[in-house]
Amino acid sequence: MTESRDRVNGPRTEQDQERPLAIVIVTYNSGRVVGGCLDSLDAALGKLHARVIVVDNASQDDTLAVVAERMPTAEVIARTSNDGFAAGVNTGADAALGSDVLVLNPDIRLAPGCVPLLREEMNTSGAGIAVPALMDSSGRRSHSLRRRPTVLRALGEAVLGGTRAGRIPLLGELVISPRVYRRAGTAAWATGAAWLISRQCLAVVGPLDERYFLYSEETEYMLRAVKNGLRVQYQPRAVAVHLSGEQKTSPRLWALSATNRVRLHREREGRFAAAAMWAAVVLNELIRAAVGPRSDQDRHVAALKSLVGMRRWPTPPDQRPDYVLFAGQDWWYHNRSHSDFQLLRSVAACRRVLVVNSIGLRMPLPGRSTQVLRRILRKFRSVAMLVRRPDPRLPGFYVMSPLPLPFYSARWTRWLNAVLVRLQVRLVCLALGIDAPIIVITLPTALDVVRPMRRRALVYNRSDRHSAFVESDAAAIRSLERSALRSADHVLYVSNALLDEERPLTGDRAYFLDHGIDLEHFRPRGTGDAPADLAAIPGPRVGFFGALDDQVVDFELLERVAAELPEASLVLIGNATRPMDSLTQYPNVYWLGFRPYERIPDYGSNFDVALMPWLNSEWIRYSNPIKLKEYLALGLPVVSTDFAEVTHYRRFVRVAADHAHFVDLVRQTLRDGGSEDPATRRACASTASWAACADQLIALAEGSSRPPSSRGEFHPPALTDPYVTVSRHTALVVLVTRPWGRR
């Protein structure tokens, strides 16, 4: 066997030197089938000699090991990405420059003498492409010959079915007649599992069109060859067995095949003809989904979804998707250390990210909200920022502020707000060229906006129980939360308690992903680096940095700290949502207001004790404040009120049961420096980087083969569909305006 394999790639006879032959086999995770293909080549070649070139599209299985074992003399081109079948063929043809090229699927088994018969047919007829008779695995002849695709034939197949329509040449693309398959002849095109392309054809027609990625590229090439005066010739004595059947069982591949039929017609006949072809293919899939066998419904439904939301060209699975974050805060005036900002900033190091600033949970109203006018004005100022790239180090990181109408109680106002925000986001995505992104929502109110949006996946970042927020319309927000939990492809939790409670709604779509920390940013500074305004404050300093939100921070507790610890300075850094007079009346309270995120570690490093003075509320009970890790990364001793996630840090954090206990713990910590030493506290936070969290999010949203763990530790889930949207809802306007694909 080795001798014959050496002959395949060995020296050529003088006759072969005149017209060299190369066999190009394109593989992708083909370890199960490629060995049989290679084994069939010796007998299939007869006395011919050929170079065997295996082009591998970044297989993740044992394909290359099988090739090395079965045919050590094969030339292997290992691509670093899966750019599709056409890209693989073009790579192989470039390597075989000047040769006739026999293109094979790895699941083809050539019969003895098949290749000389194809070469003879090509020489005799002068055809540019020669194809064999294909058999299925049971030995039955496959209908591999096709007529030119037309809208009428697509309609005929929709109404009559492919086989019945094929008996009437005007109404069917499939060639059915047994008489045609018994003799040599020409075809408009043929199944591309095995086809011999002359070097003249390669020179005249050029490379395959790689935009189709998979399916229709061989159709387009053969039709293009015929248009250039080169025939597609069928030779029935040359036989090959095609084991394939994946397209008929895989919804993803069936959907890609359906959309590519429309794309092919668009490129050949124009957009109006493509619209008619789209309608015919949709009708075909609708009928099959409605009346076809139950076992086939999944692939027909998948095709309909892809046709409704199809883009101009398919997205290869290895193409890095864009991300759109509907944030829970506003980049321009909230604390940028919030988890959704930090997580997606880290994602932006290797992906393009659009942050949509918070669309809110409620409209600020007098009597229910504090500082109503200030909140409304700052939102208008944020909207006026339009779309910007705020970090020059991240050129693919964009921030936009849509103008929302945050009324969520009535169904019609929710609908109106969703339409308004969606329109603004879609316009920005269109301008940036973002299509079918991975969408991450932090606020449940974003669900109505994203429902009809084409996307690759929907991730719900369940950072808090927003229905527990005092100012929100609890019933309306709770309903949206439940819908988001049911609709999301993945739900991320930072609270194990909340994850466990909502497990009945989320099942195996729920994952624990703890907060990270910008370790480089939150590193301790020396005492000499204290900002001037802080250095002027006498020590010891008991401090807090972050949003002074009266719905989250216990201001009564802060007053007790100020009143009962007059020997300490209480330093508060951050915007406040309520008047601060009740605190600043104490001579030892220093409210410095907002300070840039970049300067926060300079201030925090000079605290003697860091405070987490949270209200005892349902909101806090299910939260996991990122501030805890920031304090620990700075090496600070921490005193906190009690909540579920702080349990994991009790070795490093002193947790108070009530107000009096909190003040006592602050006093004790001022005396002894707190639990553990600063280096140990820093080490506790050193393993939690935002970059690592971003890697985990990417693995989860884009697919990975590692099994997930549902509690306490994050592992990516099983491989997900790498192609088109998983949305169950699509707006009618999209159906009407995008039937033949977006640019």
Side-chain angles (χ1 to χ4, degrees):
M1 200 65 154
T2 303
E3 280 184 17
S4 61
R5 286 199 181 119
D6 287 340
R7 176 175 54 76
V8 168
N9 287 292
R12 304 184 180 94
T13 65
E14 289 183 5
Q15 179 184 3
D16 291 331
Q17 289 285 359
E18 294 176 4
R19 290 189 60 193
L21 174 66
I23 299 174
V24 173
I25 305 171
V26 180
T27 58
Y28 175 69
N29 290 342
S30 307
R32 186 175 54 87
V33 294
V34 70
C37 178
L38 295 171
D39 288 343
S40 73
L41 295 184
D42 293 323
L45 281 164
K47 295 181 180 181
L48 291 178
H49 294 265
R51 295 169 60 192
V52 176
I53 303 172
V54 176
V55 181
D56 184 70
N57 275 332
S59 291
Q60 300 172 12
D61 66 353
D62 61 346
T63 296
L64 295 180
V66 172
V67 172
E69 177 187 351
R70 297 293 184 92
M71 187 172 284
T73 55
E75 302 172 34
V76 175
I77 301 175
R79 296 173 59 87
T80 58
S81 61
N82 179 13
D83 296 315
F85 175 75
V89 173
N90 290 337
T91 299
D94 288 344
L97 193 63
S99 300
D100 292 346
V101 174
L102 176 61
V103 179
L104 299 179
N105 282 10
D107 56 358
I108 277 287
R109 307 293 182 261
L110 298 179
C114 175
V115 180
L117 288 169
L118 289 175
R119 286 292 287 275
E120 179 185 353
E121 185 64 36
M122 180 175 283
N123 292 337
T124 303
S125 66
I129 297 171
V131 297
L134 293 183
M135 305 291 180
D136 64 19
S137 56
S138 64
R140 293 176 299 185
R141 189 181 300 278
S142 297
H143 296 138
S144 59
L145 303 181
R146 301 289 194 275
R147 302 182 182 98
R148 185 173 62 86
T150 65
V151 173
L152 183 59
R153 285 172 176 150
L155 284 171
E157 292 176 354
V159 176
L160 301 175
T163 302
R164 293 190 189 93
R167 296 190 178 100
I168 308 170
L170 190 64
L171 297 180
E173 190 174 328
L174 199 65
V175 176
I176 299 298
S177 171
R179 180 171 54 85
V180 173
Y181 285 94
R182 285 196 292 266
R183 63 170 186 259
T186 60
W189 66 280
T191 302
W195 45 312
L196 177 62
I197 313 172
S198 72
R199 60 183 177 182
Q200 178 195 8
C201 183
L202 288 166
V204 171
V205 181
L208 275 71
D209 191 334
E210 298 179 10
R211 295 175 296 178
Y212 294 94
F213 185 74
L214 192 66
Y215 299 118
S216 292
E217 61 271 81
E218 78 273 25
T219 310
E220 188 276 337
Y221 193 84
M222 293 184 198
L223 292 172
R224 188 159 27 118
V226 171
K227 187 176 181 179
N228 280 276
L230 298 166
R231 291 197 300 276
V232 176
Q233 190 73 16
Y234 166 73
Q235 173 49 259
R237 292 186 297 139
V239 177
V241 176
H242 189 202
L243 304 180
S244 177
E246 187 180 5
Q247 179 192 357
K248 294 183 178 180
T249 58
S250 168
R252 172 175 59 85
L253 297 183
W254 185 268
L256 183 59
S257 178
T259 53
N260 272 354
R261 288 185 70 184
V262 180
R263 294 183 178 105
L264 174 65
H265 208 67
R266 178 194 65 216
E267 294 303 297
R268 289 178 54 81
E269 307 294 341
R271 292 179 66 84
F272 290 107
M277 176 62 80
W278 179 86
V281 177
V282 165
L283 178 63
N284 191 347
E285 300 300 333
L286 274 172
I287 293 173
R288 270 69 198 160
V291 303
R294 195 173 190 83
S295 58
D296 293 344
Q297 285 183 351
D298 285 348
R299 59 189 172 101
H300 295 300
V301 170
L304 285 169
K305 288 181 179 179
S306 294
L307 286 160
V308 168
M310 67 177 284
R311 58 181 298 175
R312 186 170 180 83
W313 294 107
T315 303
D318 288 342
Q319 180 175 315
R320 292 177 173 181
D322 299 318
Y323 284 70
V324 174
L325 165 68
F326 285 81
Q329 291 78 34
D330 193 295
W331 176 270
W332 304 116
Y333 55 79
H334 280 139
N335 186 350
R336 295 176 189 174
S337 66
H338 279 286
S339 62
D340 45 359
F341 287 152
Q342 292 285 1
L343 189 58
L344 270 296
R345 280 183 76 253
S346 294
V347 170
C350 58
R351 302 288 190 273
R352 189 165 52 163
V353 173
L354 171 64
V355 172
V356 181
N357 278 329
S358 172
I359 59 174
L361 293 167
R362 78 288 187 202
M363 172 66 81
L365 295 173
R368 186 181 70 177
S369 310
T370 58
Q371 300 181 329
V372 174
L373 182 60
R374 175 176 174 268
R375 293 187 185 189
I376 294 175
L377 287 176
R378 72 181 184 180
K379 175 55 73 175
F380 277 117
R381 284 196 295 268
S382 175
V383 172
M385 301 291 282
L386 302 178
V387 183
R388 302 202 179 192
R389 287 188 295 187
D391 191 338
R393 297 168 299 176
L394 297 171
F397 184 70
Y398 300 84
V399 176
M400 71 166 291
S401 293
L403 178 63
L405 298 174
F407 299 100
Y408 298 105
S409 299
R411 185 184 296 271
W412 76 269
T413 57
R414 279 171 46 189
W415 174 85
L416 181 61
N417 183 61
V419 170
L420 176 64
V421 173
R422 187 185 312 125
L423 176 61
Q424 296 171 77
V425 173
R426 276 183 166 162
L427 287 173
V428 173
C429 286
L430 182 64
L432 297 177
I434 294 176
D435 187 27
I438 290 170
I439 297 179
V440 182
I441 63 172
T442 298
L443 294 182
T445 49
L447 180 65
D448 285 338
V449 177
V450 305
R451 281 186 201 271
M453 292 180 66
R454 225 180 73 80
R455 59 186 181 263
R456 179 158 163 172
L458 175 62
V459 179
Y460 183 13
N461 181 28
R462 187 73 160 129
S463 57
D464 294 291
R465 172 170 275 171
H466 291 95
S467 56
F469 193 67
V470 177
E471 292 187 14
S472 69
D473 184 321
I477 301 302
R478 188 178 300 113
S479 174
L480 286 170
E481 283 178 328
R482 294 178 71 85
S483 295
L485 292 170
R486 292 190 180 99
S487 302
D489 301 292
H490 313 289
V491 183
L492 302 182
Y493 287 89
V494 294
S495 167
N496 278 303
L498 191 55
L499 184 154
D500 291 339
E501 183 176 311
E502 293 178 346
R503 174 72 72 184
L505 287 173
T506 58
D508 60 2
R509 295 175 293 113
Y511 305 93
F512 181 86
L513 178 59
D514 204 355
H515 289 316
I517 180 89
D518 187 340
L519 295 170
E520 177 59 27
H521 186 57
F522 283 93
R523 53 182 175 79
R525 273 59 160 176
T527 54
D529 296 329
D533 54 352
L534 185 67
I537 298 174
R541 304 182 189 103
V542 176
F544 172 92
F545 57 71
L548 290 158
D549 192 323
D550 58 338
Q551 305 297 331
V552 177
V553 174
D554 191 336
F555 280 83
E556 182 182 341
L557 176 56
L558 288 177
E559 285 193 51
R560 284 197 64 167
V561 171
E564 298 182 28
L565 296 173
E567 71 277 12
S569 296
L570 177 58
V571 181
L572 304 174
I573 299 172
N575 281 328
T577 61
R578 53 161 278 175
M580 295 291 284
D581 299 344
S582 61
L583 275 168
T584 55
Q585 67 175 328
Y586 293 93
N588 62 330
V589 173
Y590 299 84
W591 176 43
L592 303 184
F594 174 81
R595 290 295 182 270
Y597 174 74
E598 292 74 19
R599 299 299 312 278
I600 291 299
D602 299 333
Y603 286 89
S605 294
N606 289 278
F607 292 168
D608 294 288
V609 180
L611 304 183
M612 297 184 66
W614 310 125
L615 289 167
N616 182 17
S617 65
E618 187 179 11
W619 171 276
I620 292 297
R621 192 173 308 125
Y622 293 110
S623 69
N624 184 358
I626 189 175
K627 194 177 316 300
L628 174 58
K629 287 188 175 66
E630 293 172 347
Y631 284 159
L632 293 174
L634 292 173
L636 298 174
V638 182
V639 176
S640 176
T641 54
D642 199 6
F643 58 96
E645 287 302 318
V646 80
T647 303
H648 307 299
Y649 297 90
R650 284 185 178 270
R651 174 185 164 190
F652 311 97
V653 178
R654 285 175 171 163
V655 181
D658 53 37
H659 284 190
H661 190 206
F662 190 95
V663 175
D664 288 343
L665 289 179
V666 173
R667 185 178 291 114
Q668 177 187 347
T669 304
L670 286 171
R671 287 197 306 266
D672 63 16
S675 304
E676 303 295 344
D677 58 83
T680 304
R681 291 192 286 262
R682 288 195 297 271
C684 165
S686 64
T687 58
S689 72
W690 282 118
C693 293
D695 289 343
Q696 293 168 359
L697 171 60
I698 289 171
L700 173 65
E702 298 178 24
S704 170
S705 58
R706 292 178 60 192
S709 172
S710 61
R711 183 179 173 82
E713 180 183 1
F714 177 91
H715 295 290
L719 185 66
T720 57
D721 185 348
Y723 286 87
V724 293
T725 177
V726 293
S727 172
R728 298 187 182 91
H729 309 277
T730 308
L732 180 61
V733 65
V734 176
L735 187 149
V736 172
T737 60
R738 296 203 303 174
W740 46 88
R742 288 188 53 191
R743 290 186 180 275

